[in-house]
Amino acid sequence: MSQSVPEPSSLRADRITMAYQDRIIGEDLSVDIADGRFTVIIGPNGCGKSTLLRSLSRLLRTRSGTVYLDGKDIHRSRAQDVAGRLGLLPQTAIAPPGITVFDLARRGRYPHQSILSRWSAQDEAAVHRALAQTEMTELADRPVDELSGGQRQRAWVAMVLAQESSILLLDEPTTFLDVAHQISLLDLFAQLNSDEGRTTVAVLHDINHAARYADDIIVMSHGRIVAHGPPVDVLTPELLAEVFGVEAVVIDDPVNGGPHIITRHRTRIPASVAPTREEAP
Ligand SMILES: Nc1ncnc2c1ncn2[C@@H]1O[C@H](COP(=O)(O)OP(=O)(O)O)[C@@H](O)[C@H]1O
Ligand SMILES: [Mg+2]
């Protein structure tokens, strides 16, 4: 019987080196983001999660290696093509002063417009759908800079959803949200993923949310990917001790049967910051 060769995924990094000026954050990193799955990235503060998402979304040019989107070097693709295909929710985003929630969400439609095309009924519908999905409809006319942290976060999520890209890269989408809004947003991402097959990559800090929602977990440490696979394979006490410096017990989640992590105590302070090195001049 012939073995079929798996198709390469639509978004992948091939031996990339990520750096800011002369600071190398991660070297020789390769990763395939599985199409149509919900991937969660976890790792200590400063280990390079945001830097990886920026690299995968073309925001940060890699020092070497290549990010491929649909088999093509992402830096050789037109910005508008990339934006139509892939939406990024950055970890820290600053809205233009005074912009309303509606106008921020509207910006998610920019990649779909050209000089010739007018604002269409389809654009309008996408914005309204995104506002409804994030429960922001009633706040649509409010200036973003007058909202609470959680509401502001949902306004940004609305912008990314309005983009209607088939790949979503979400950097800490649930930070600042109360527990109900965290769960409703994660449920929404899970639903978009399962119903519409949108490839979703989210950085989360809550390991049990990662365990519950992820098809695949990527664990980063010191600018490297140290594990990548289904939660049950990845979330072991050994890995949690090694990466986070936390002693933990892993039990079966009484709700869905997956792994559930109960932390016992910290065994050491995680070496959170990626070991950066200065390049030789
Ligand atoms: N714009 C930047 N310029 C220089 N160094 C940066 C910049 N952004 C992040 N870093 C550094 O890169 C490393 C990884 O950061 P980041 O990817 O934001 O980590 P994480 O998202 O995992 O918390 C950290 O040491 C951080 O200080
Ligand atoms: Mg980050």
Side-chain angles (χ1 to χ4, degrees), residues 50 91 171-172:
S50 296
Q91 185 175 353
D171 201 348
E172 300 198 21

Side-chain angles (χ1 to χ4, degrees), residues 38-170:
F38 197 149
T39 299
V40 171
I41 304 178
I42 61 171
N45 296 136
C47 70
K49 304 179 295 297
S50 296
T51 305
L52 176 61
L53 282 200
R54 282 189 211 121
S55 305
L56 289 174
S57 63
R58 191 184 194 274
L59 220 57
L60 183 68
R61 189 174 269 283
T62 53
R63 182 64 54 88
S64 63
T66 311
V67 171
Y68 292 99
L69 177 63
D70 301 323
K72 195 171 166 190
D73 181 343
I74 201 164
H75 284 284
R76 290 178 189 268
S77 305
R78 288 171 57 226
Q80 203 177 15
D81 292 342
V82 174
R85 183 87 168 90
L86 180 155
L88 171 71
L89 173 73
Q91 185 175 353
T92 45
I94 297 164
I99 193 170
T100 64
V101 170
F102 188 87
D103 283 341
L104 184 66
R106 218 170 171 265
R107 294 191 168 213
R109 300 304 297 169
Y110 283 10
H112 298 276
Q113 319 225 274
S114 66
I115 299 164
L116 298 175
S117 74
R118 293 263 181 107
W119 182 254
S120 68
Q122 199 185 343
D123 294 320
E124 187 81 11
V127 171
H128 282 291
R129 194 162 43 242
L131 291 172
Q133 285 171 326
T134 51
E135 298 174 44
M136 290 301 284
T137 304
E138 283 178 13
L139 298 173
D141 295 328
R142 293 271 298 276
V144 173
D145 44 23
E146 289 176 16
L147 301 177
S148 75
Q151 293 167 335
R152 206 174 303 159
Q153 179 78 347
R154 285 185 287 136
W156 281 101
V157 173
M159 189 196 82
V160 176
L161 294 183
Q163 201 175 321
E164 294 189 318
S165 59
S166 47
I167 302 172
L168 285 171
L169 304 181
L170 309 158

